[in-house]
Amino acid sequence: MCGFAGERRYDGRLADTDAVAAMTATMARRGPDGAGTFSAGPLAVGHRRLKIMDLSEHAQQPMLDNELGLGIVYNGAVYNHPELRAELKAKGYRFWSDGDTEVLLKAYHCWGADFVQRLHGMFAFAIWERDGGRLLLGRDRLGIKPLYYSLTDKRLRFASTLPALLKAKDVDTDIDPVALHHYLHFHAVVPAPQTMLKGVRKLAPATLMSVEPDGTTRQQRYWQPDYARTAEDERRSFDDWREMTLAALRTAVKRRLVADIPVGALLSGGVDSSLIVGLMSEADANVRTYSIGFEDVGSEEGNEFRYSDIIAQHYATQHERIFIDSRTLLPWLPEALAAMSEPMVSHDCVAFYLLSEAVSKHSKVVQSGQGADEVFGGYHWYPPMLETQDALATYDAAFCDRSHEEFLRVVDPRMATEDHSRAFIRAHFAQAGASEAIDQALRLDTTIMLVDDPVKRVDNMTMAWGLEARVPFLDHELVELAARIPGRHKIAHGGKHVLKEAARQVIPAAVIDRPKGYFPVPALKYLQGDFLDYARSLLDAQAARDRGLFRRDYIETLYADPQAHITPLRGSKLWQLAALEGWLQAHGI
């Protein structure tokens, strides 16, 4: 896993190598093990490397194949690269490295853009053709690896992070009103292609973008989970689905052990991460595991150590508890905000930031449990979707942070827009391939909300410390299987029923038959004291006042009683505004 950047000009000028160098340098923490650049006429690229597969210099990037006339910069991990290598060797291709990067290069030459259909893993890449001048950008099916770009009539710039594009300057940093509407309704999720800035877009998951020498671009979506079920699917028993789920997850976990260094695990104590550790232990008897916790707040538990300890002891892992007093978090908040490619408001962003810092001292790659709730139906808003007669209203009431009417009271009149967020939900629900309300909600959460909340959060916070996080619940074959499982099997008995029953064959029941855990960082949910002062300092800063995104009377209402203004998903409305301002200020906007 790494970070890359580049520029492709189509105005007759040479690529700006200084701009590419500046973009690449900002991603040093994503790739602390190596760096490289390449330029040729209108194209320049840069790369920062984190060594996970093929630790030798043979796998250094940018990677050029002069025989094939191709080059690549790439971020991610393709787990089936040994199988693809063997297939390509049988076709006569020769290899000089042992990692996955060269496999992608030769797979593109062999199969064209359709080569992405053969990849199992997480990836973002830029491949260029020396002779034809075509550039191809691509992103994995579930958007695990990020890819941002800035497009003008003279050039295209692209990078693994949004702040990298800002370093190259020449970017329109005005706030995108549609993105702001999504941010304030979807707890900071801004679906692709929008970002908070008008001048920066992001490539959607499962999408390829081809760029011709004259600047013509074309985007193509190459994958979408299908929630339609065949007659055979409808006849399957619950036991059949349970066994298929366990087999597919076992394969997903095994795939994510492919590396030339040991793979650890983030262990929260919940069923998802516990099951991953159990399946990892089947293949590797020496797993390192890591858990994080905070102090309790009232009746809310701040950690799940008693459950993570059960798993660590059961499998005799090399386990490390990381306890953080939330009162010591404040100095880290500016760093966490600066590490975000886009503003995020989840309480555990800073927790993941500090967890990653601790884990990176011992491991460079870990498996993590993100995605299980979206893929297998673990959230509280899913059961009502089984019976609803109004899918949009039911989803809206449980998920959205505020009404459109409240939004109009939050933002300055110049940022007032139509109700884009509910229009987005309505349009997504109406797409073919999911006829039932429950499947429409699961599809939206899996392909949109998951990508730009927990998945982005984990990528940003782990990669800030040169730590690669792999997410087996987002194995695309597992997601395809889960999409076919009838909603009733997923939602029953508090959610994730089929997954929990599969887990019983692997892990102790004590971590399955327990309340669902949720431990926010207390200081960011209940803003008070120094944390409240910090939030106020961001919103009262001259830059924020000059920007004038939010109405001052609304801000003053939040100041008067922050605890009274909590979103349906238990987030602080005040922190939501402050986090956006903090992110903008951290990046000099």
Side-chain angles (χ1 to χ4, degrees):
M1 191 177 304
C2 315
F4 65 84
E7 177 179 283
R8 176 66 165 86
R9 300 201 70 91
Y10 29 84
D11 61 356
R13 298 178 59 186
L14 297 177
D16 187 340
T17 54
D18 289 339
V20 172
M23 290 192 288
T24 305
T26 67
M27 296 182 288
R29 293 176 67 175
R30 289 185 72 93
D33 297 334
T37 59
F38 169 79
S39 64
L43 175 74
V45 293
H47 187 269
R48 296 291 315 197
R49 185 181 180 198
L50 178 65
K51 294 182 179 180
I52 303 293
M53 298 183 189
D54 188 348
L55 309 184
S56 76
E57 294 306 302
H58 294 297
Q60 189 71 7
Q61 297 184 52
M63 182 177 284
L64 306 177
D65 189 321
N66 292 321
E67 182 178 353
L68 301 181
L70 297 173
I72 187 173
V73 282
Y74 153 68
N75 167 32
V78 171
Y79 310 119
N80 64 329
H81 76 89
E83 294 83 357
L84 292 173
R85 178 190 303 274
E87 189 174 354
L88 289 163
K89 279 185 174 180
K91 292 179 178 292
Y93 287 91
R94 297 172 301 195
F95 289 82
W96 65 78
S97 69
D98 296 321
D100 51 351
T101 305
E102 188 182 1
V103 171
L104 268 67
L105 203 57
K106 289 176 166 61
Y108 172 72
H109 184 268
C110 182
W111 295 301
D114 283 345
F115 84 100
V116 292
Q117 303 286 0
R118 298 170 179 263
L119 305 181
H120 291 284
M122 54 184 183
F123 51 85
F125 60 78
I127 295 175
W128 60 94
E129 300 176 5
R130 178 191 61 205
D131 300 329
R134 179 179 292 112
L135 174 69
L136 183 70
L137 305 180
R139 194 174 177 200
D140 67 69
R141 296 170 181 86
L142 276 304
I144 304 166
K145 291 292 99 193
L147 185 51
Y148 297 88
Y149 63 94
S150 171
L151 184 64
T152 72
D153 60 351
K154 295 181 175 60
R155 54 98 185 126
L156 166 74
R157 287 181 181 150
F158 52 88
S160 298
T161 71
L162 188 155
L165 293 171
L166 296 178
K167 284 295 181 182
K169 307 191 183 301
D170 186 28
V171 174
D172 182 354
T173 57
D174 286 347
I175 301 300
D176 185 317
V178 176
L180 182 62
H181 196 280
H182 292 327
Y183 176 93
L184 291 172
H185 283 81
F186 299 157
H187 29 281
V189 169
V190 176
Q194 257 99 13
T195 74
M196 193 59 68
L197 307 182
K198 286 183 178 179
V200 179
R201 306 289 88 167
K202 57 192 171 195
L203 193 64
T207 300
L208 299 174
M209 183 168 82
S210 60
V211 185
E212 301 299 331
D214 64 358
T216 302
T217 64
R218 183 173 66 88
Q219 295 195 20
Q220 172 192 353
R221 188 179 184 98
Y222 64 85
W223 179 86
Q224 172 88 330
D226 189 355
Y227 286 76
R229 282 174 279 279
T230 65
E232 182 182 8
D233 287 337
E234 295 292 354
R235 288 194 299 269
R236 291 188 199 278
S237 69
F238 177 83
D239 290 348
D240 289 339
W241 288 118
R242 181 193 63 209
E243 296 306 311
M244 292 168 69
T245 295
L246 182 57
L249 184 58
R250 182 173 275 122
T251 298
V253 170
K254 184 177 180 181
R255 281 174 177 153
R256 284 154 184 80
L257 292 173
V258 174
D260 291 328
I261 57 176
V263 180
L266 304 182
L267 177 60
S268 71
V271 63
D272 309 329
S273 61
S274 297
L275 180 52
I276 289 172
V277 171
L279 294 174
M280 288 177 69
S281 297
E282 292 180 353
D284 183 353
N286 192 32
V287 178
R288 290 193 76 114
T289 53
Y290 307 89
S291 300
I292 190 171
F294 298 87
E295 74 277 10
D296 299 343
V297 176
S299 61
E300 280 190 294
E301 268 193 290
N303 68 77
E304 296 183 329
F305 288 150
R306 58 188 166 125
Y307 296 111
S308 58
D309 285 351
I310 291 173
I311 296 299
Q313 292 165 12
H314 185 81
Y315 294 104
T317 69
Q318 298 179 62
H319 187 59
E320 182 173 351
R321 281 182 170 196
I322 301 165
F323 179 84
I324 296 173
D325 184 336
S326 68
R327 292 169 296 185
T328 67
L329 288 178
L330 188 55
W332 293 97
L333 272 176
E335 276 195 38
L337 288 168
M340 298 174 185
S341 274
E342 299 177 73
M344 292 180 276
V345 298
S346 293
H347 300 135
D348 59 359
C349 278
V350 68
F352 257 106
Y353 186 75
L354 294 177
L355 172 63
S356 299
E357 189 268 341
V359 172
S360 67
K361 296 175 181 177
H362 307 287
S363 296
K364 293 178 72 172
V365 55
V366 291
Q367 295 200 31
S368 187
Q370 280 68 35
D373 285 308
E374 292 85 353
V375 173
F376 286 98
Y379 291 130
H380 70 271
W381 58 86
Y382 295 136
M385 299 298 293
L386 277 174
E387 308 295 336
T388 184
Q389 299 301 308
D390 188 337
L392 175 59
T394 301
Y395 186 88
D396 174 17
F399 187 86
C400 291
D401 292 336
R402 52 180 47 82
S403 67
H404 182 63
E405 291 70 28
E406 182 183 345
F407 168 81
L408 296 176
R409 297 195 301 271
V410 176
V411 299
D412 183 84
R414 78 182 194 285
M415 303 304 296
T417 65
E418 301 172 8
D419 192 353
H420 294 288
S421 298
R422 286 167 191 83
F424 181 89
I425 297 170
R426 185 182 298 107
H428 204 278
F429 279 9
Q431 292 177 10
S435 57
E436 299 178 10
I438 179 61
D439 291 329
Q440 293 165 359
L442 289 167
R443 180 178 63 182
L444 175 60
D445 288 355
T446 298
T447 61
I448 302 293
M449 304 306 178
L450 170 68
V451 172
D452 275 293
D453 189 4
V455 167
K456 181 170 62 183
R457 183 191 330 151
V458 170
D459 173 83
N460 288 188
M461 298 300 102
T462 57
M463 289 305 294
W465 297 101
L467 175 67
E468 174 175 306
R470 299 176 170 184
V471 280
F473 284 107
L474 296 189
D475 183 279
H476 76 272
E477 290 184 345
L478 178 64
V479 171
E480 291 169 347
L481 171 66
R484 291 164 43 211
I485 299 174
R488 63 185 182 276
H489 294 327
K490 289 179 275 194
I491 305 307
H493 303 286
K496 293 189 292 192
H497 181 50
V498 68
L499 179 65
K500 290 176 180 176
E501 293 308 303
R504 290 188 192 282
Q505 302 179 51
V506 181
I507 61 177
V511 298
I512 302 172
D513 301 321
R514 46 155 294 193
K516 180 175 175 59
Y518 177 82
F519 51 97
V521 178
L524 292 183
K525 179 178 177 182
Y526 304 105
L527 283 175
Q528 54 190 337
D530 291 343
F531 285 84
L532 176 57
D533 291 341
Y534 178 63
R536 293 182 67 138
S537 74
L538 296 172
L539 291 167
D540 292 345
Q542 193 60 50
R545 291 181 178 274
D546 292 344
R547 197 178 346 265
L549 288 180
F550 309 120
R551 296 171 62 108
R552 291 306 304 184
D553 58 343
Y554 184 82
I555 292 174
E556 294 298 333
T557 298
L558 299 184
Y559 285 170
D561 191 357
Q563 285 85 344
H565 299 278
I566 304 297
T567 71
L569 294 185
R570 297 180 286 185
S572 165
K573 291 184 177 180
L574 177 56
W575 179 244
Q576 193 174 45
L577 307 191
L580 173 54
E581 266 301 333
W583 182 83
L584 291 168
Q585 293 168 34
H587 296 293
I589 301 172

